[in-house]
Amino acid sequence: MSEAFHIAEYTKLKEEILLKMKQVDDSFRFMLIAVAATMTWVVSNYKTFNDGMYVILFFVPLFISVSFTLYIVGLNKSVLWRTAYIRELERRYGDDSHGWESSPQHQRFAKHRTSYATARGLIYSLNVIALMFAGYMLIENTTVVEQVRALSGI
């Protein structure tokens, strides 16, 4: 294949990476909004549902959170694959240490990915918060807990 083909492919891959990174950013925002809105709706409306059905509602924010997390992980893996391929193209057709992925600035960022680790921590902590919400609502609003409290004399 010609060098012009690889340069066009390189350009297209850079565009795809930037698009996927924007999708990650947007997905995280939607995730925060969706989980917060769902938690608020569950707290406001769970008593209007029939016996036992409201228990399922307690886990809806967790389901939303985990779904978004899996989608974001998939996007990140897609970006990592593309960046590895771009690095290979840069190694093969570019100058040493010059290129979008192999530049010294990018290498310093890649070694110290604190912003990525922080975002990943926020995503996973939102999953933990949704799980804690489900557990709290389940404990506070089910008859099983009341029966256990009555039996133990608390």
Side-chain angles (χ1 to χ4, degrees):
M1 291 187 188
S2 69
E3 188 174 334
F5 170 80
H6 289 297
I7 290 172
E9 183 179 40
Y10 176 88
T11 304
K12 188 66 177 165
L13 286 171
K14 279 183 9 182
E15 291 171 6
E16 288 178 20
I17 288 170
L18 293 173
L19 175 66
K20 296 229 180 261
M21 293 308 297
K22 183 178 180 338
Q23 289 173 340
V24 167
D25 192 37
D26 291 345
S27 296
F28 180 66
R29 283 193 198 107
F30 292 144
M31 178 181 175
L32 286 173
I33 292 167
V35 169
T38 307
M39 285 180 174
T40 303
W41 181 81
V42 167
V43 168
S44 301
N45 296 309
Y46 75 93
K47 291 181 181 179
T48 62
F49 285 82
N50 294 336
D51 293 336
M53 285 301 293
Y54 62 86
V55 173
I56 296 170
L57 292 177
F58 300 155
F59 292 93
V60 171
L62 179 63
F63 174 76
I64 291 170
S65 179
V66 169
S67 298
F68 269 103
T69 299
L70 293 174
Y71 178 69
I72 290 169
V73 166
L75 287 172
N76 282 330
K77 285 185 179 186
S78 178
V79 167
L80 290 174
W81 177 84
R82 285 169 173 77
T83 57
Y85 188 71
I86 282 180
R87 258 186 252 113
E88 178 60 27
L89 290 176
E90 288 175 353
R91 185 189 64 73
R92 196 177 291 177
Y93 296 104
D95 295 331
D96 291 339
S97 300
H98 291 15
W100 196 48
E101 284 294 318
S102 56
S103 69
Q105 294 86 358
H106 182 76
Q107 293 304 317
R108 280 195 300 272
F109 173 76
K111 288 179 186 173
H112 307 289
R113 291 195 213 175
T114 55
S115 61
Y116 178 72
T118 302
R120 187 176 51 202
L122 288 172
I123 290 168
Y124 291 137
S125 63
L126 188 58
N127 286 308
V128 171
I129 290 169
L131 180 63
M132 289 173 32
F133 171 80
Y136 174 78
M137 293 298 287
L138 190 66
I139 289 170
E140 288 297 317
N141 297 297
T142 58
T143 58
V144 173
V145 174
E146 293 170 5
Q147 293 171 357
V148 170
R149 285 182 183 163
L151 288 174
S152 64
I154 297 177

